[in-house]
Amino acid sequence: MKRSLPVVVVVVLCGVLLTGADALQLARERAYPPAEVDDSALYLTSGRTLRRLTVSLNALAADVYWIRTLQYYGGAKRRLAGLAGVPEPPPLLAAASDYDQLYPLLDITTSLDPRFSVAYRFGAVFLAEAYPSGQGRPDLALRLLEKGIREQPDKWEYMEDAGFVHYWFEHNYSEAARWFERASEVPGAPNWLKPLAATTVAQGGDRRSSRVMWQAILESSTEEWLRKSAEHRLLQLRALDDLDALQRGVDSYVRQNGSDGLGWPALVRARVFPGLPVDPTGVPYELTPDARVQLSPRSPLLPLPTEPAKAVGTVS
Amino acid sequence: MKAIGDIAINAFRESVRDKVLYNLVLFAVLMMGASYLIGQLTAGQDVKIIKDLGLAATTIFGLFIAVFIGIGLVSKEVERRSIYSLLSKPIHRYHLIVGKYLGLSLTLLVNVTIMTVALYAVLFYMQWGVDPIAQRAWDAPALDPRILQAIGLIFVELMLVTGIALFFSTFSTPLLSAALTFGLVIVGHFSSDLRDFQDVVESSVAQWIARGIYWVLPNLAQFDVKAQVVHGQTVPAPYIAMAVGYAALYVAMLLVIAGFVFSRRDFK
């Protein structure tokens, strides 16, 4: 006896049943919200042990850990970005922070696959970036890069990255120049590294040398993420220049007219500025009641880099 | 209905003949051995560990039965050619699928019931002679009736897994069915990762895909309340009702598809 229901009936029936099941699931999740997935626990912290355990599958295991690292970093970054205002950085020696598993995850990834170039390079950025965009731990970024250099002593990119970390996050320009110099001596290194080392020694920390550095990276890098990072940094440098120029205009206006009724419309009417000034991403700058020009909290350029040698060279 | 009942009873008898219930001996030995050893090893947490172990063993043993018996429900009939005599009888192929499913569910019910009795017996033994003041330090009493909530949901999960195994067995080989079922069981326990995918990716397409998969794949994580129960937390009745309702509808959908596929198979 062989009778079969028509396909349409089966499809509709299944659709109804699945919708019913999902409706119940939704109702249950609303009534009893499921706990957040907690990925902060790291059960095996020794990359060497994991390397033994994963035997011939260690490269695959490294990929899995790398994906987990990205999820961990991305999740923490998004969570922090969703918080009102920028949270205070955690104390350096705090037992736990939003990124406290980042270095162990990167360490395991690179122990499982010691030639995992992206893990060293991306990882160094994640670690070095100022909190809350990153962990704000350039020391850990340098440790990771030095591990990579031990594995591949001819990888000039890691040395270049170490130079950037010293330059941008530690503001240690002599050390940065030393790393750029070291990178330039590796066969196959790009020819702009040597002049960059010289510029860093001569004018370390000023906007002009920063601009030279990021412009060189933008033009020479084959890595999409590094080019994007360079573009972002160049926009930030432009914003810093803008802020200085705008502040000069505002200060001059206030000296002549006082600060009563101060605002962008008044400044535009007085022809101090041709129109509402916007930052390089198109977000209007803000003018505070005490006549300070600053980026809008909505600006994707925040946080701006600190300027350790502001007096040395402001380019406008 | 009588046909379905007869098929279910026969499927149950067959599993008994196949010595499926022998796993209970293993379970009993495991529990007795563990209760003795853990009593020597742990400091004050032995009741909790026995509960953890008993619930985990119930899940694992049940899972193996659900998968390995489930995938053979249809394929064995085809292999032994007994399918021909079955199909020559005045029954619909849907009856066969539903009957087989209920038969295995009955087997699982008997298994889980006996395991539950064994677990309570071991817990009674662990509790026996312990000072009532010392018992106050436990998160939950040894003979906590809330354990039944966890076991009930384990059984519901096993019924869903049986449905998945049966569904795959209607169109695939036993080996592939087992692999697919285990794969789906693993994915089903990690489906919350798909739900939270939007927290880690920017792409709205990827988010939609992840969300779609989350709603289509079975969510098995909701049946796991072992940790709460062992720590003495009550699982709310509406939660259990919704989880059971979800499983019922999902199993119904699996059986409809399985019946449909099976009804179109040609055994000539």
Side-chain angles (χ1 to χ4, degrees), chain A residues 1-39 67-68 70-79, chain B residues 87-94 191-193 195-203 207 211 214-217 219 222 236-239 241-246 248-250 252-254 256-257 260 263-266:
Chain A
M1 188 170 184
K2 185 178 172 182
R3 258 190 332 226
S4 169
L5 287 173
V7 181
V8 181
V9 175
V10 171
V11 170
V12 170
L13 196 54
C14 288
V16 169
L17 290 168
L18 185 63
T19 308
D22 286 342
L24 272 175
Q25 184 172 339
L26 194 64
R28 182 185 51 76
E29 284 180 358
R30 283 199 181 133
Y32 308 98
E36 273 190 26
V37 182
D38 182 13
D39 275 342
I67 292 167
R68 211 181 147 198
L70 290 177
Q71 287 182 319
Y72 177 79
Y73 173 72
K77 194 174 171 181
R78 277 172 161 256
R79 195 170 54 249
Chain B
L87 294 181
S88 65
K89 293 188 169 49
I91 55 164
H92 197 285
R93 290 190 187 189
Y94 280 102
S191 62
S192 52
D193 284 343
R195 185 193 63 224
D196 300 330
F197 212 59
Q198 68 211 43
D199 294 338
V200 288
V201 291
E202 295 275 357
S203 162
Q207 287 176 14
R211 279 260 151 185
Y214 174 67
W215 290 114
V216 171
L217 292 181
N219 180 350
Q222 64 184 312
Y239 179 100
M242 283 189 268
V244 171
Y246 172 87
L249 290 169
Y250 206 97
M253 182 192 74
L254 287 170
V256 167
I257 304 173
F260 177 72
S263 66
R264 296 198 154 212
R265 268 186 73 171
D266 194 350

Side-chain angles (χ1 to χ4, degrees), chain A residues 241-301:
Chain A
D241 291 348
D242 286 353
L243 286 170
D244 285 346
L246 291 167
Q247 192 62 56
R248 277 198 299 274
V250 170
D251 290 347
S252 161
Y253 176 87
V254 169
R255 268 196 306 275
Q256 288 168 20
N257 306 292
S259 58
D260 282 350
L262 182 69
W264 292 126
L267 290 161
V268 173
R269 271 196 305 277
R271 295 177 188 277
V272 178
F273 304 118
L276 179 67
V278 292
D279 73 19
T281 62
V283 179
Y285 285 108
E286 279 193 358
L287 186 58
T288 63
D290 58 342
R292 304 304 308 163
V293 185
Q294 63 183 31
L295 280 178
S296 161
R298 291 182 291 116
S299 174
L301 298 176

Side-chain angles (χ1 to χ4, degrees), chain A residues 96-251:
Chain A
S97 80
D98 295 292
Y99 294 105
D100 65 336
Q101 297 294 338
L102 190 55
Y103 182 77
L105 282 166
L106 288 162
D107 188 39
I108 288 175
T109 306
T110 51
S111 295
L112 287 167
D113 184 354
R115 293 183 163 242
F116 206 145
S117 174
V118 173
Y120 291 111
R121 303 197 70 194
F122 265 73
V125 175
F126 297 166
L127 290 164
E129 276 279 356
Y131 188 87
S133 299
Q135 196 178 2
R137 293 289 304 270
D139 57 321
L140 293 179
L142 290 167
R143 197 195 294 177
L144 184 71
L145 289 167
E146 281 168 15
K147 181 183 175 188
I149 294 165
R150 278 197 301 278
E151 292 292 341
Q152 288 174 280
D154 57 344
K155 194 87 175 166
W156 61 264
E157 288 93 339
Y158 298 161
M159 299 169 201
E160 178 200 12
D161 292 345
F164 291 154
V165 172
H166 277 296
Y167 187 103
W168 201 255
F169 301 106
E170 298 248 298
H171 309 299
N172 185 341
Y173 305 107
S174 57
E175 222 15 56
R178 195 176 69 78
W179 277 105
F180 291 143
E181 183 70 33
R182 189 175 159 188
S184 71
E185 287 163 3
V186 176
N191 51 14
W192 53 265
L193 273 169
K194 220 168 212 14
L196 178 62
T199 315
T200 306
V201 169
Q203 301 160 333
D206 74 352
R207 279 187 214 160
R208 197 168 58 182
S209 68
S210 295
R211 190 171 280 117
V212 168
M213 183 177 82
W214 290 114
Q215 196 64 45
I217 293 167
L218 182 64
E219 286 164 14
S220 64
S221 180
T222 53
E223 307 274 359
E224 179 64 19
W225 66 275
L226 196 53
R227 279 207 306 278
K228 279 195 171 164
S229 179
E231 273 170 6
H232 184 74
R233 296 299 185 194
L234 285 166
L235 290 180
Q236 285 184 318
L237 290 169
R238 254 180 64 196
L240 285 169
D241 291 348
D242 286 353
L243 286 170
D244 285 346
L246 291 167
Q247 192 62 56
R248 277 198 299 274
V250 170
D251 290 347

